């Protein structure tokens, strides 16, 4: 079988590095054809020397010379800048694109990859949060599959395998609840970024770890589920499941519930997106039921974790509202990591930005670009107050 050549957008991040482990585990099946990073030249160089891709891209153009010089002795093409990031996925030699960069920055390269007809393994949930409708239209027009990498959505995708034509009653997204699951409002007012960065079950990048602590990540996953699986907001339920063993569930019209379980390891959903519809033998840890004696489930508390309610509201309002929420969240998330805002202050700024930014009911790509800039500006102003 011909090897599948994969372009990894965001190869130095948490998903990117684990994707390279998957590729390394199946050298007969996959090859890293393109590697890209935002800023981390050192790690990108190390990866390039090990995996020998056709090309590498550093998004931050200031680091071009450093990257070029470090790879000068190898026949690897070196590019820099946001445009190069978009163009490199269009190459005929690329068979699949793993979109694993962080935040809104993932939107344009992902759109380009779809237009170039490349199947997308989607880890960058912000792409669907910001512009789900547009992405779905493009994917339909160019007949490109979007394969979820987010563990919850991969679980749902696995549950839906073989169920074509069968009605979904609801999707049950599980959430660990994060490190502050049992905190009171008084405690939440004073939690620090160091505490927020300690996720109980998953090792992830800083941005998504903060989003998990604030439950914005789960809010985004609700929006992501709507676009991936074509269900209504009221058909998506979030359940707190602190053990992170059940990765999510689907309830069908006859009342049957299917779940996908496993240890929390992102390599499995990454590999499944690469190998779908097949499963490949993997060396990852296995779930030992005798060691997870209790699996518990509880309702989320949207009074303490307001972001979850804000995401549902954005979903109900539609249009560019989720784009507004995403932009405001990227601003407050970075501000929280820089000690510029309190944990609870994040939801306040997001909510106010939702009220102030201009609502567009049927946004085009240009509207999203404008909305993103406007919402960031408003959120920044609110931070200054
Ligand atoms: Mg997830």
């Amino acid at each position: 079988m011909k090897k599948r050549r994969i372009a990894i957008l965001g190869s130095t991040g948490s998903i990117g590095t684990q994707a390279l482990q998957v590729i390394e585990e199946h050298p007969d099946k996959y090859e890293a054809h393109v590697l890209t990073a935002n800023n981390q030249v050192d790690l990108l160089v190390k990866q390039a020397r090990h995996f020998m891709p056709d090309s590498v891209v550093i998004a931050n153009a200031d680091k071009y010379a450093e990257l070029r010089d470090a790879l000068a002795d190898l026949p690897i093409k070196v590019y820099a800048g946001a445009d190069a990031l978009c163009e490199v996925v269009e190459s005929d030699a690329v068979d699949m694109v793993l979109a694993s960069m962080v935040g809104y920055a993932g939107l344009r390269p992902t759109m380009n990859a779809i237009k170039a007809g490349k199947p997308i393994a989607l880890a960058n949930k912000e792409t669907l949060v910001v512009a789900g409708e547009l992405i779905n239209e493009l994917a339909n027009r160019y007949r490109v599959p979007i394969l979820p990498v987010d563990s919850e959505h991969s679980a749902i995708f696995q549950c839906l395998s073989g169920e074509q034509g069968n009605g979904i009653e609801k999707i049950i997204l599980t959430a660990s609840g994060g490190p502050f699951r049992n905190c009171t409002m008084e405690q939440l007012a004073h939690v620090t970024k160091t505490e927020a960065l300690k996720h109980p079950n998953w090792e992830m990048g800083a941005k998504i770890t903060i989003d998990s602590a604030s439950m914005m990540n789960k809010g985004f996953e609700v929006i992501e589920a709507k676009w991936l699986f074509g269900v209504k907001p009221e058909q998506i339920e979030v359940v707190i499941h602190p053990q992170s063993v059940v990765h999510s569930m689907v309830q069908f019209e006859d009342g049957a519930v299917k779940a996908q379980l496993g240890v929390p390891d992102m390599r499995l959903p990454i590999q499944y997106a690469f190998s779908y519809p097949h499963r490949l033998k993997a060396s990852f840890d296995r779930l030992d039921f005798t060691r997870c004696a209790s699996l518990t489930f509880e309702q989320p508390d949207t009074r303490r974790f307001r972001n979850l309610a804000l995401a549902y509201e954005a979903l109900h309002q539609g249009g560019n509202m989720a784009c507004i929420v995403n932009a405001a969240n990227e601003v407050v998330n970075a501000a929280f990591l820089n000690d510029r805002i309190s944990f609870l202050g994040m939801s306040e700024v997001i909510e106010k930005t939702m009220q102030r930014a201009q609502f567009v009911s049927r946004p085009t790509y240009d509207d999203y670009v404008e909305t993103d800039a406007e919402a960031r500006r408003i959120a920044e102003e609110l931070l200054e107050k």
Side-chain angles (χ1 to χ4, degrees):
M1 197 188 92
K2 189 171 144 291
K3 276 197 222 181
R4 201 162 203 196
R5 289 161 298 194
I6 299 177
I8 303 182
L9 304 181
S11 68
T12 57
S14 171
I15 296 291
T17 50
Q18 294 179 82
L20 286 171
Q21 291 173 22
V22 169
I23 290 175
E24 192 151 41
E25 180 144 332
H26 305 283
D28 53 323
K29 295 211 160 49
Y30 306 114
E31 132 188 341
H33 190 77
V34 176
L35 299 178
T36 85
N38 220 359
N39 271 304
Q40 289 196 63
V41 173
D42 292 350
L43 184 52
L44 184 58
V45 167
K46 222 172 120 188
Q47 292 176 339
R49 290 196 160 275
H50 188 79
F51 290 93
M52 291 297 292
D54 173 78
S55 10
V56 294
V57 184
I58 187 88
N60 180 351
D62 293 343
K63 306 217 165 170
Y64 172 69
E66 192 185 340
L67 179 63
R68 181 200 57 201
D69 295 349
L71 296 173
D73 59 320
L74 298 173
I76 297 173
K77 296 174 204 129
V78 178
Y79 305 102
D83 289 339
L85 202 68
C86 289
E87 286 158 18
V88 82
V89 297
E90 294 170 359
S91 157
D92 282 345
V94 170
D95 297 316
M96 175 177 245
V97 173
L98 171 62
S100 56
M101 63 280 269
V102 179
Y104 173 83
L107 177 59
R108 198 160 71 95
T110 305
M111 283 174 59
N112 259 46
I114 296 172
K115 287 179 187 168
K118 310 298 181 190
I120 308 288
L122 188 75
N124 173 260
K125 70 190 75 182
E126 291 90 341
T127 288
L128 283 179
V129 170
V130 169
E133 198 157 15
L134 186 68
I135 292 291
N136 273 356
E137 276 170 23
L138 280 178
N140 284 334
R141 193 184 324 152
Y142 291 90
R143 296 172 188 274
V144 162
I146 301 206
L147 304 145
V149 169
D150 207 344
S151 61
E152 294 78 358
H153 304 76
S154 175
I156 294 160
F157 189 59
Q158 292 175 57
C159 293
L160 290 174
S161 177
E163 299 286 356
Q164 280 72 14
N166 292 334
I168 300 172
E169 200 159 76
K170 68 179 176 185
I171 277 172
I172 304 158
L173 280 176
T174 54
S176 71
F180 306 139
R181 181 170 56 94
N182 294 318
C183 287
T184 62
M185 280 301 263
E186 293 66 37
Q187 289 168 319
L188 283 179
H190 299 106
V191 295
T192 65
K193 70 175 177 200
T194 315
E195 294 165 318
L197 285 170
K198 284 188 196 127
H199 196 277
N201 306 338
W202 294 92
E203 282 266 3
M204 306 176 288
K207 198 256 175 187
I208 189 172
T209 307
I210 299 300
D211 284 347
S212 295
S214 71
M215 288 206 73
M216 187 44 98
N217 182 56
K218 205 51 57 180
F220 283 170
E221 288 181 354
V222 171
I223 299 173
E224 188 185 8
K226 176 198 152 86
W227 296 119
L228 281 172
F229 306 113
V231 289
K232 297 193 188 84
E234 51 275 21
Q235 287 175 288
I236 311 168
E237 184 179 316
V238 172
V239 166
I240 304 286
H241 167 49
Q243 297 83 17
S244 297
V245 166
V246 176
H247 295 319
S248 277
M249 301 173 259
V250 178
Q251 183 173 308
F252 293 92
E253 280 178 332
D254 60 356
V257 178
K258 276 169 88 175
Q260 187 260 330
L261 287 71
V263 292
D265 185 335
M266 285 308 295
R267 289 174 300 177
L268 191 129
I270 294 167
Q271 176 173 302
Y272 191 71
F274 286 176
S275 67
Y276 174 80
H278 307 289
R279 289 185 184 275
L280 301 179
K281 194 169 170 59
S283 65
F284 319 144
D285 284 349
R286 292 341 192 212
L287 187 60
D288 179 352
F289 278 95
T290 61
R291 294 181 71 184
C292 52
S294 76
L295 297 178
T296 61
F297 302 89
E298 59 197 71
Q299 238 188 349
D301 179 354
T302 51
R303 192 186 59 89
R304 284 181 302 134
F305 296 95
R306 187 117 189 83
N307 284 349
L308 189 56
L310 295 177
Y312 268 103
E313 200 182 312
L315 199 49
H316 280 291
Q317 291 192 36
N320 63 340
M321 194 50 84
C323 176
I324 295 169
V325 171
N326 178 69
N329 183 61
E330 288 194 27
V331 169
V332 296
N333 181 303
F336 182 69
L337 285 168
N338 287 315
D339 301 311
R340 289 177 64 209
I341 192 170
S342 68
F343 185 79
L344 292 176
M346 290 196 283
S347 305
E348 282 170 37
V349 168
I350 294 167
E351 188 164 15
K352 284 189 181 143
T353 309
M354 289 170 77
Q355 290 156 3
R356 292 185 196 179
Q358 179 158 8
F359 180 70
V360 182
S361 59
R362 294 208 45 88
T364 62
Y365 175 69
D366 291 338
D367 292 325
Y368 287 125
V369 174
E370 234 170 83
T371 297
D372 179 72
E374 188 203 14
R376 279 171 200 269
R377 202 165 52 236
I378 294 170
E380 276 293 346
E381 278 167 21
L382 290 163
L383 274 181
E384 298 301 324
K385 283 182 187 155

